[in-house]
Amino acid sequence: MLRSVLQTSAILSSSRNPAFRRWLSQEARGKIQAAVEASPVVLFMKGNPQMPQCGFSRAAVQVLEMQGVPQEKLKTYDILEDPELRSGIKEFSEWPTIPQIYINGEFVGGCDILLGMHQSGELQSLLEQNSIIPKISGESSP
């Protein structure tokens, strides 16, 4: 009896642990992976570039515009339109917030990371190295 109580307690406590919340299905993982690889720059955001639905999404779009990311190299996904995508992308990236940016299939981070990289010049270098924006002649990469 005690053993079953302890096992039940362990199961209940593990379900409150974030690592045990929900597992992303292979189908959902495959769809997100395909989305991440759909374009050189992929932004999961609230709203769309013309009408962002939160300040962080707006800031991410503005940073990408200031960096000169061409529209044809940018694909955005509105997570507010798809609840499964909204929760799934957080599990996929193991990052708890939106927006999320991917460059050439690699997760970069959220708005705070993007802003920091923009301010330090890292984002420009990353975009140039991945042939998303043209390298400005006369500059050397760090």
Side-chain angles (χ1 to χ4, degrees), residues 71-99:
Q71 290 292 333
E72 65 272 8
K73 292 188 178 184
L74 172 65
K75 175 80 174 144
T76 63
Y77 293 89
D78 182 356
I79 57 94
L80 298 176
E81 292 181 352
D82 186 345
E84 186 177 20
L85 178 60
R86 185 176 190 167
S87 62
I89 191 63
K90 293 175 183 180
E91 290 182 46
F92 181 83
S93 64
E94 298 180 1
W95 191 262
T97 60
I98 302 294

Side-chain angles (χ1 to χ4, degrees), residues 14-71:
S14 69
S15 67
R16 287 187 289 262
N17 183 336
F20 292 95
R21 280 194 189 144
R22 176 170 102 78
W23 297 101
L24 193 58
S25 72
Q26 285 303 103
E27 180 184 359
R29 185 174 297 283
K31 287 180 180 178
I32 293 172
Q33 186 65 45
V36 163
E37 295 171 351
S39 185
V41 180
V42 177
L43 178 64
F44 293 92
M45 63 181 292
K46 293 179 181 176
N48 59 57
Q50 295 74 33
M51 189 173 263
Q53 296 298 307
C54 83
F56 297 111
S57 291
R58 180 181 314 281
V61 168
Q62 288 174 338
V63 165
L64 295 174
E65 287 174 353
M66 287 190 297
Q67 290 290 334
V69 174
Q71 290 292 333

